[in-house]
């Protein structure tokens, strides 16, 4: 059951990226909220949250990027994203 929840969280995070790419910010935010609800302790979900928030100019981006690193210290993508802030 835990794995299925993680998979759903990652799918929702992917949907958030897709909607953001299509410039559908409201749909992207809704998908991201689902991802965060399903996988609040998942490093990749928090990375996605941080990156999307960074894109939207949301000051909580850094918080989510740091959280993703705390959850998975070797997540180089999050390290790079933090250097861009």
């Amino acid at each position: 059951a835990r794995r299925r929840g993680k998979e759903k969280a990652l799918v929702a995070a992917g949907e958030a990226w897709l909607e953001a790419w299509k410039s559908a910010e409201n749909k992207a935010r809704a998908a991201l909220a689902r991802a965060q609800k399903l996988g609040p302790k998942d490093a990749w979900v928090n990375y996605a949250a941080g990156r999307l928030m960074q894109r939207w100019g949301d000051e909580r981006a850094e918080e989510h990027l740091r959280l993703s690193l705390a959850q998975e210290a070797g997540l180089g993508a999050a390290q790079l994203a933090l250097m861009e802030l």
Side-chain angles (χ1 to χ4, degrees):
R2 184 184 306 189
R3 182 176 175 161
R4 185 164 292 160
K6 177 180 175 126
E7 290 171 357
K8 287 181 179 182
L10 293 175
V11 167
E15 290 172 354
W17 278 108
L18 179 61
E19 294 299 340
W21 183 77
K22 296 188 311 186
S23 298
E25 187 175 332
N26 289 337
K27 288 181 180 180
R29 287 183 182 274
L32 183 58
R34 280 194 314 278
Q36 290 178 295
K37 184 177 180 181
L38 291 165
K41 295 181 180 180
D42 185 89
W44 284 100
V45 168
N46 280 298
Y47 167 73
R51 275 306 229 183
L52 288 169
M53 289 178 182
Q54 183 181 23
R55 175 183 179 143
W56 297 324
D58 188 318
E59 62 188 34
R60 296 174 297 160
E62 183 175 359
E63 172 188 340
H64 286 282
L65 292 169
R66 291 196 183 283
L67 182 56
S68 71
L69 280 174
Q71 293 161 333
E72 192 173 318
L75 190 56
Q79 293 169 341
L80 289 172
L82 280 169
M83 288 190 286
E84 293 176 0
L85 293 178

